Amino acid sequence: MEKFQILRSTAVPLPAEDVDTDQIIPARFLKATTREGFGENLFRDWRYQANGAPQPDFVLNNPIYGGAILVAGKNFGCGSSREHAAWALYDYGFRVVVSSFYADIFRGNAINNGLLPVEVSDAFLNQIFETIEADPNTQFEVDLAQQTFGIPAKGLSARFEIDPYKKMCLLNGYDDIDYLLSLKTEIAAFEKQRESV
Amino acid sequence: MNESLTMFGMPKTLFDKIWEAHLVANVQGGIDVLYIDRHFIHEVTSPQAFTGLEQRGIPVFRPKQTIATADHNVPTQNQHLPIQEELSRFQVDRLTENCAKFGVELYGLGHAYQGIVHVIGPELGITQPGMTIVCGDSHTSTHGAFGCIAFGIGTSQVEQVLATQCLLQEKPKQMRINVDGVLPKGVSAKDIILYIIAQLTAAGGTGYFVEYAGSAIRALSMEARMTICNMSIEMGARGGLIAPDETTIRYVQGRKFAPEGEAWDRAAAYWQTLYSDAEAVFDQEYHFRAEDIGPMLTYGTNPGMGIEVSGHIPNEDGKNFVKALEYMGLQPGEQLIGKTVNHVFIGSCTNSRIEDLRLVAAFIKGKQKAPNVHAMIVPGSKLVEAQAKAEQLDVIFRDAGFDFREPGCSACLGMNEDKIPRGEYCVSTSNRNFEGRQGQGARTILASPLMAAATAIAGRIVDVREELN
């Protein structure tokens, strides 16, 4: 996993709420057996019309907006546990998602792939949307060590929560498997102790 | 919970008891290392995990605790022939190769035990009370019906469990939902859970693990309890569970992989200790009356957008609500009753078990589906299919003009050929009505098996209670 420390970028606004993982990556694209290439079909059925032409209204097709931050309405990533949703966002180029509320499984999948889910208040989320609307070139700053999401041009900043262990993993690019593999002796001891009960 | 406190007999929830029995260690910051008893895998969310093991050069740590099947991406016709679609065939073949290479038991296509992963675990007795169970599928919550901590995980976590039989997990908050009273005629477990989700919304359970309790839940069969727990994720909850009781123990006894002899006695005695203590405290608690619940339907694009069959679609503000109704081709204030429907899907890990099929067969026996309807019934597993045939339910289905298929996830998620055409309505016993879930542009109306059967016969949405009188 790649390290995540500080990111400065413009952001893409997607104010829809309850964005489920079937929208992020529809099931018919889950036939691949590798983690790569899902970005091409990110938000496929919102991004393209039935005839395959780009849907002009959709934000990813609007050249005004760009950057490595996706800002979305509340309850982002609900539904299916498919990690392909996190892979698709990452493969497309996003490194941060900002919302006021996340579905649990998506949040975990994102962190496990170096995609940082930043949770802010509804009020701050609205400020971000308004800021992008006023000026799509606004730069945002995400500082994982400080746990802050900032709008430097406006002198605004919000703190976000992240589990300290997960933060350490992201800052250093570690994944959970390395940690769990280091516990194999304890795991085997646990199994033995259970058998004897 | 602090261990020293539990020693002094602090009241615990059912969830606490199972969680503590599987706690291997605690990492700094409140994350626990949780031991996993059973791991189910399928073709869609496992290949990248096996690739991860290969890249690290490590084996599956406890191969006997992982069970594989092919369900999401398989055809529901001509399963004896090679899969026609190339990508699907390749993905299913990868599962076969991975299972052979890593020593994992596979109930693949052609095997007598193949089926939807959340149907086969319980019916084979692999799922047992008090266990921790995971799968790369959000409907793993189904197994909670047995008094298990069962939840869906991503592929990185599938790899973790394959590599170490453990997961790093933050302990979730706990919610109890009580449903008391007696269900009215024509109302089933599917209506209970659709009603609860409509009340709490599609995000009402996020951050929580739910225990379902109350006399109306106790009165349900194991299959009905599975339907309830299955849809816990549709209100955002990681999982849902129900304390094991006599109904649970009777269901498990004698199944293929259930314990036997002395081991059975020990297990059954332990299972009877698995309940929430009377004084146990939940972070959130709700109470509902079974008498208030009617046959439910969804009208929108998330499972929380549900109404009683005779109800009117509400009028809400907001772009999301407007967008959902526009997608569904529906208006605020409109009733769903009387609406022409051309597709009915009976199946999925929510409602594809033998009791569901019996209920549908009893209703449609001697009747004919409406000419405008394509009605598909997809059994949850080969064992369900075999049982249905043994009871000659397949004859009833065919005589009524229903299309009885072979097992798989099918039109629940439209990964295979079983898709609903753009713009068409489908009354479906599955679990999700998301945009495009059953095919691009498809419009899903979630309902119980009985409501689906009644729709297929009438060719339009009807109140099944009136058909039963």
Side-chain angles (χ1 to χ4, degrees), chain B residues 208-266:
Chain B
Y208 290 90
F209 223 92
V210 178
E211 180 177 345
Y212 301 96
S215 59
I217 302 293
R218 290 261 139 260
L220 297 174
S221 70
M222 283 316 295
E223 297 194 0
R225 293 179 191 184
M226 286 186 239
T227 299
I228 303 255
C229 290
N230 172 273
M231 289 190 70
S232 303
I233 183 71
E234 307 315 335
M235 55 181 157
R238 282 309 296 276
L241 74 175
I242 296 171
D245 59 9
E246 276 305 311
T247 304
T248 321
I249 291 171
R250 267 202 312 275
Y251 179 95
V252 177
Q253 190 163 27
R255 288 190 183 264
K256 174 82 181 164
F257 295 104
E260 289 173 350
E262 231 176 278
W264 168 262
D265 296 338
R266 262 201 317 276

Coordinates of all heavy atoms in Angstrom, one line a residue, chain B residues 208-266:
Chain B
Y208 N -23.6 0.0 13.9 CA -24.2 -0.9 14.9 C -24.1 -2.4 14.4 O -24.2 -2.7 13.2 CB -25.6 -0.6 15.1 CG -25.8 0.8 15.8 CD1 -26.0 1.9 15.1 CD2 -25.9 0.8 17.2 CE1 -26.2 3.1 15.8 CE2 -26.1 2.0 17.9 CZ -26.2 3.2 17.2 OH -26.4 4.4 17.8
F209 N -24.2 -3.2 15.4 CA -24.6 -4.6 15.2 C -25.9 -4.7 15.9 O -26.1 -4.2 17.0 CB -23.5 -5.5 15.9 CG -23.2 -6.7 15.0 CD1 -22.1 -6.6 14.1 CD2 -23.9 -7.9 15.1 CE1 -21.8 -7.7 13.3 CE2 -23.6 -9.0 14.3 CZ -22.6 -8.9 13.4
V210 N -26.9 -5.4 15.3 CA -28.2 -5.5 15.7 C -28.6 -6.8 16.3 O -28.3 -7.8 15.7 CB -29.2 -5.1 14.6 CG1 -30.7 -5.2 15.0 CG2 -28.9 -3.8 13.9
E211 N -29.3 -6.8 17.5 CA -29.9 -8.0 17.9 C -31.4 -7.9 17.7 O -32.0 -6.9 18.2 CB -29.6 -8.3 19.4 CG -30.3 -9.6 19.9 CD -30.0 -10.0 21.3 OE1 -29.0 -9.5 21.9 OE2 -30.7 -10.9 21.8
Y212 N -32.0 -8.9 17.1 CA -33.5 -8.9 16.9 C -34.1 -9.8 18.0 O -33.6 -10.9 18.3 CB -33.9 -9.5 15.6 CG -33.3 -8.7 14.4 CD1 -32.1 -9.1 13.8 CD2 -33.9 -7.6 13.9 CE1 -31.6 -8.4 12.7 CE2 -33.4 -6.9 12.8 CZ -32.2 -7.3 12.3 OH -31.7 -6.6 11.2
A213 N -35.1 -9.2 18.7 CA -35.7 -10.0 19.8 C -37.2 -9.7 19.8 O -37.7 -9.0 19.0 CB -35.0 -9.5 21.1
G214 N -37.8 -10.3 20.8 CA -39.3 -10.1 20.9 C -40.1 -11.3 20.5 O -39.6 -12.2 19.7
S215 N -41.3 -11.4 20.9 CA -42.1 -12.6 20.7 C -42.4 -12.9 19.2 O -42.4 -14.1 18.8 CB -43.5 -12.5 21.4 OG -44.2 -11.4 20.9
A216 N -42.5 -11.8 18.4 CA -42.7 -12.1 16.9 C -41.5 -12.7 16.2 O -41.6 -13.4 15.3 CB -43.1 -10.8 16.2
I217 N -40.3 -12.4 16.7 CA -39.0 -12.9 16.2 C -38.9 -14.4 16.7 O -38.6 -15.3 15.9 CB -37.8 -12.1 16.6 CG1 -38.0 -10.6 16.2 CG2 -36.5 -12.7 16.2 CD1 -37.9 -10.4 14.7
R218 N -39.2 -14.6 18.0 CA -39.1 -15.9 18.6 C -40.0 -16.9 17.8 O -39.7 -18.1 17.7 CB -39.6 -15.9 20.0 CG -38.7 -15.2 21.0 CD -37.8 -16.2 21.8 NE -36.5 -15.6 21.8 CZ -35.5 -15.9 21.1 NH1 -35.5 -16.8 20.3 NH2 -34.4 -15.2 21.2
A219 N -41.1 -16.4 17.3 CA -42.1 -17.3 16.7 C -41.7 -17.7 15.3 O -42.3 -18.6 14.7 CB -43.5 -16.6 16.7
L220 N -40.6 -17.1 14.8 CA -40.2 -17.4 13.4 C -39.4 -18.6 13.2 O -38.7 -19.0 14.1 CB -39.4 -16.2 12.8 CG -40.1 -14.8 12.7 CD1 -39.0 -13.8 12.3 CD2 -41.2 -14.9 11.7
S221 N -39.6 -19.3 12.1 CA -38.7 -20.4 11.8 C -37.3 -20.0 11.5 O -37.0 -18.7 11.4 CB -39.2 -21.1 10.5 OG -39.0 -20.2 9.4
M222 N -36.3 -20.9 11.4 CA -34.9 -20.5 11.2 C -34.8 -19.8 9.8 O -34.1 -18.8 9.7 CB -34.0 -21.7 11.2 CG -33.7 -22.2 12.6 SD -33.3 -20.9 13.8 CE -31.8 -20.2 13.1
E223 N -35.5 -20.3 8.8 CA -35.4 -19.7 7.5 C -35.9 -18.3 7.5 O -35.4 -17.4 6.9 CB -36.1 -20.6 6.4 CG -35.5 -22.0 6.3 CD -35.9 -22.7 5.1 OE1 -36.7 -22.3 4.3 OE2 -35.4 -23.9 5.0
A224 N -37.0 -18.0 8.2 CA -37.6 -16.7 8.3 C -36.6 -15.8 9.1 O -36.4 -14.6 8.7 CB -38.9 -16.7 9.0
R225 N -36.0 -16.3 10.1 CA -35.0 -15.5 10.9 C -33.8 -15.1 9.9 O -33.2 -14.0 10.1 CB -34.5 -16.3 12.1 CG -35.5 -16.5 13.1 CD -35.0 -17.3 14.3 NE -36.0 -17.8 15.2 CZ -35.8 -18.4 16.3 NH1 -34.6 -18.7 16.7 NH2 -36.9 -18.8 17.1
M226 N -33.5 -16.1 9.0 CA -32.4 -15.7 8.1 C -32.7 -14.6 7.2 O -31.9 -13.7 6.9 CB -32.0 -17.0 7.3 CG -31.2 -18.0 8.0 SD -30.7 -19.4 6.9 CE -31.5 -20.8 7.7
T227 N -34.0 -14.5 6.8 CA -34.5 -13.4 5.9 C -34.3 -12.1 6.7 O -33.9 -11.1 6.1 CB -36.0 -13.7 5.6 OG1 -36.1 -14.9 4.8 CG2 -36.5 -12.5 4.7
I228 N -34.6 -12.1 8.0 CA -34.5 -10.9 8.8 C -33.1 -10.5 8.9 O -32.7 -9.3 8.5 CB -35.1 -11.1 10.2 CG1 -36.5 -11.6 10.1 CG2 -34.8 -9.9 11.1 CD1 -37.6 -10.6 10.5
C229 N -32.2 -11.4 9.3 CA -30.8 -11.0 9.6 C -30.1 -10.7 8.2 O -29.2 -9.8 8.2 CB -30.1 -12.2 10.2 SG -30.6 -12.4 11.9
N230 N -30.5 -11.3 7.2 CA -29.9 -11.1 5.8 C -29.9 -9.6 5.5 O -29.0 -9.1 4.9 CB -30.8 -11.9 4.8 CG -30.4 -11.6 3.4 OD1 -30.9 -10.6 2.8 ND2 -29.5 -12.3 2.8
M231 N -31.0 -8.9 5.8 CA -31.2 -7.5 5.3 C -30.7 -6.5 6.3 O -30.9 -5.3 6.2 CB -32.6 -7.3 4.9 CG -32.9 -8.0 3.5 SD -34.5 -7.5 2.8 CE -34.2 -5.9 2.2
S232 N -30.0 -6.9 7.4 CA -29.5 -6.0 8.4 C -28.6 -5.0 7.7 O -28.6 -3.8 8.1 CB -28.6 -6.7 9.4 OG -29.4 -7.7 10.1
I233 N -27.8 -5.4 6.7 CA -26.9 -4.5 6.0 C -27.7 -3.4 5.3 O -27.1 -2.3 5.0 CB -26.0 -5.3 5.1 CG1 -25.0 -4.5 4.3 CG2 -26.8 -6.1 4.0 CD1 -23.9 -3.9 5.2
E234 N -28.9 -3.7 4.9 CA -29.7 -2.7 4.2 C -30.1 -1.5 5.0 O -30.6 -0.5 4.5 CB -30.9 -3.4 3.5 CG -30.6 -4.6 2.6 CD -29.5 -4.5 1.7 OE1 -29.1 -3.4 1.3 OE2 -28.9 -5.5 1.4
M235 N -29.9 -1.6 6.3 CA -30.1 -0.3 7.1 C -28.7 0.1 7.6 O -28.6 0.9 8.5 CB -31.1 -0.5 8.3 CG -30.7 -1.7 9.2 SD -32.0 -1.8 10.5 CE -31.8 -3.5 10.9
G236 N -27.7 -0.4 7.0 CA -26.3 0.0 7.2 C -25.6 -0.8 8.3 O -24.4 -0.6 8.5
A237 N -26.3 -1.7 9.1 CA -25.7 -2.4 10.2 C -24.7 -3.4 9.6 O -24.9 -4.0 8.5 CB -26.8 -3.1 11.0
R238 N -23.6 -3.7 10.4 CA -22.7 -4.7 10.0 C -23.3 -6.0 10.0 O -22.9 -6.9 9.1 CB -21.4 -4.7 10.9 CG -20.5 -3.6 10.7 CD -20.0 -3.4 9.3 NE -19.2 -4.6 8.8 CZ -18.0 -4.7 8.9 NH1 -17.2 -3.9 9.6 NH2 -17.3 -5.8 8.4
G239 N -24.2 -6.3 10.9 CA -24.8 -7.6 11.0 C -26.0 -7.5 11.9 O -26.2 -6.5 12.6
G240 N -26.7 -8.7 12.0 CA -27.8 -8.8 12.9 C -27.8 -10.2 13.4 O -27.3 -11.1 12.8
L241 N -28.2 -10.4 14.7 CA -28.2 -11.7 15.2 C -29.4 -12.0 16.1 O -30.1 -11.0 16.6 CB -26.9 -12.1 15.9 CG -26.6 -11.5 17.3 CD1 -25.3 -12.1 17.8 CD2 -26.4 -10.0 17.3
I242 N -29.7 -13.2 16.3 CA -30.9 -13.6 17.1 C -30.4 -14.7 18.0 O -29.7 -15.7 17.6 CB -32.0 -14.2 16.2 CG1 -32.6 -13.1 15.3 CG2 -33.2 -14.8 17.0 CD1 -33.5 -13.5 14.2
A243 N -30.8 -14.6 19.3 CA -30.3 -15.6 20.3 C -30.8 -17.0 19.9 O -32.0 -17.2 19.5 CB -30.8 -15.2 21.7
P244 N -29.9 -18.0 20.0 CA -30.3 -19.4 19.7 C -31.3 -19.9 20.7 O -31.2 -19.5 21.9 CB -29.0 -20.2 19.7 CG -28.0 -19.3 20.4 CD -28.5 -17.9 20.3
D245 N -32.3 -20.7 20.3 CA -33.3 -21.3 21.2 C -33.6 -22.7 20.7 O -32.8 -23.2 19.8 CB -34.5 -20.4 21.2 CG -35.2 -20.2 19.9 OD1 -34.7 -20.9 18.9 OD2 -36.1 -19.4 19.7
E246 N -34.6 -23.3 21.1 CA -35.0 -24.6 20.7 C -35.2 -24.7 19.2 O -34.8 -25.7 18.6 CB -36.3 -25.0 21.4 CG -36.1 -25.6 22.8 CD -35.2 -26.7 22.9 OE1 -35.3 -27.7 22.0 OE2 -34.2 -26.7 23.7
T247 N -35.7 -23.7 18.6 CA -35.9 -23.7 17.1 C -34.6 -23.8 16.4 O -34.4 -24.6 15.5 CB -36.6 -22.4 16.7 OG1 -37.8 -22.3 17.4 CG2 -36.9 -22.4 15.2
T248 N -33.6 -23.1 16.9 CA -32.3 -23.1 16.4 C -31.6 -24.5 16.5 O -31.1 -25.0 15.5 CB -31.3 -22.1 17.1 OG1 -32.1 -20.9 17.4 CG2 -30.1 -21.7 16.3
I249 N -31.7 -25.0 17.7 CA -31.0 -26.3 18.0 C -31.6 -27.4 17.2 O -30.9 -28.2 16.6 CB -31.0 -26.5 19.5 CG1 -30.1 -25.5 20.2 CG2 -30.6 -27.9 19.9 CD1 -30.2 -25.4 21.7
R250 N -33.0 -27.4 17.1 CA -33.6 -28.4 16.3 C -33.2 -28.3 14.9 O -33.1 -29.3 14.2 CB -35.2 -28.2 16.4 CG -35.8 -29.1 17.5 CD -37.3 -29.3 17.3 NE -38.0 -28.1 16.9 CZ -38.5 -27.2 17.8 NH1 -38.4 -27.5 19.1 NH2 -39.1 -26.1 17.4
Y251 N -33.1 -27.1 14.4 CA -32.7 -26.9 13.0 C -31.3 -27.5 12.7 O -31.1 -28.2 11.7 CB -32.8 -25.4 12.6 CG -32.4 -25.2 11.1 CD1 -33.3 -25.1 10.1 CD2 -31.0 -25.0 10.8 CE1 -33.0 -24.8 8.8 CE2 -30.6 -24.8 9.4 CZ -31.6 -24.7 8.5 OH -31.3 -24.5 7.2
V252 N -30.4 -27.2 13.6 CA -29.0 -27.6 13.3 C -28.8 -29.1 13.5 O -28.0 -29.8 12.8 CB -28.0 -26.8 14.3 CG1 -26.6 -27.3 14.1 CG2 -28.1 -25.3 14.1
Q253 N -29.5 -29.7 14.5 CA -29.3 -31.1 14.8 C -29.5 -32.0 13.6 O -30.5 -31.9 12.8 CB -30.2 -31.6 15.9 CG -29.9 -33.0 16.4 CD -30.6 -33.2 17.7 OE1 -31.6 -32.7 18.1 NE2 -29.9 -34.1 18.5
G254 N -28.5 -32.9 13.4 CA -28.6 -33.9 12.3 C -28.1 -33.4 10.9 O -28.1 -34.2 10.0
R255 N -27.7 -32.2 10.8 CA -27.3 -31.7 9.5 C -25.9 -32.2 9.3 O -25.1 -32.5 10.2 CB -27.3 -30.1 9.5 CG -28.8 -29.7 9.4 CD -29.0 -28.3 9.1 NE -30.5 -28.1 9.2 CZ -31.3 -28.1 8.1 NH1 -30.8 -28.3 6.9 NH2 -32.6 -28.0 8.2
K256 N -25.5 -32.2 8.0 CA -24.3 -32.8 7.5 C -23.0 -32.5 8.4 O -22.3 -33.5 8.8 CB -24.0 -32.4 6.1 CG -22.7 -32.8 5.5 CD -22.8 -34.2 4.9 CE -21.4 -34.6 4.4 NZ -21.3 -36.1 4.2
F257 N -22.8 -31.3 8.7 CA -21.6 -30.9 9.4 C -21.8 -30.5 10.9 O -21.0 -29.9 11.5 CB -20.8 -29.8 8.7 CG -20.3 -30.3 7.3 CD1 -20.9 -29.9 6.2 CD2 -19.2 -31.2 7.3 CE1 -20.5 -30.3 4.9 CE2 -18.8 -31.6 6.0 CZ -19.4 -31.2 4.8
A258 N -23.0 -30.8 11.4 CA -23.3 -30.5 12.8 C -22.6 -31.5 13.7 O -22.3 -32.6 13.3 CB -24.8 -30.6 13.0
P259 N -22.2 -31.1 14.9 CA -21.6 -32.0 15.8 C -22.5 -33.2 16.1 O -23.7 -33.1 16.0 CB -21.3 -31.1 17.1 CG -21.8 -29.8 16.8 CD -22.5 -29.7 15.5
E260 N -21.8 -34.3 16.5 CA -22.6 -35.5 16.9 C -22.2 -36.0 18.2 O -21.1 -35.7 18.7 CB -22.3 -36.6 15.8 CG -22.9 -36.3 14.5 CD -22.5 -37.3 13.4 OE1 -21.6 -38.1 13.6 OE2 -23.1 -37.2 12.3
G261 N -23.0 -36.9 18.8 CA -22.7 -37.6 20.0 C -22.4 -36.6 21.2 O -23.1 -35.6 21.4
E262 N -21.3 -36.9 21.9 CA -20.9 -36.1 23.0 C -20.6 -34.6 22.6 O -20.9 -33.7 23.3 CB -19.6 -36.7 23.6 CG -19.7 -36.9 25.1 CD -18.4 -37.6 25.6 OE1 -18.3 -38.8 25.4 OE2 -17.5 -36.8 26.0
A263 N -20.0 -34.5 21.4 CA -19.7 -33.1 20.9 C -21.0 -32.3 20.8 O -21.0 -31.1 21.0 CB -18.9 -33.2 19.6
W264 N -22.0 -33.0 20.3 CA -23.3 -32.4 20.1 C -23.9 -31.9 21.5 O -24.3 -30.7 21.6 CB -24.3 -33.3 19.5 CG -25.7 -32.7 19.5 CD1 -26.7 -33.1 20.4 CD2 -26.3 -31.7 18.8 NE1 -27.8 -32.3 20.3 CE2 -27.6 -31.4 19.2 CE3 -25.8 -30.9 17.7 CZ2 -28.4 -30.4 18.7 CZ3 -26.6 -29.9 17.2 CH2 -27.9 -29.7 17.7
D265 N -23.8 -32.8 22.5 CA -24.3 -32.4 23.8 C -23.6 -31.2 24.4 O -24.2 -30.3 24.9 CB -24.2 -33.6 24.8 CG -25.0 -34.8 24.3 OD1 -26.0 -34.6 23.6 OD2 -24.7 -35.9 24.8
R266 N -22.3 -31.2 24.2 CA -21.5 -30.1 24.7 C -21.9 -28.8 24.0 O -22.1 -27.8 24.6 CB -20.0 -30.3 24.5 CG -19.3 -30.9 25.7 CD -17.8 -30.6 25.6 NE -17.2 -30.9 24.3 CZ -16.8 -32.1 23.9 NH1 -17.0 -33.1 24.7 NH2 -16.3 -32.3 22.7

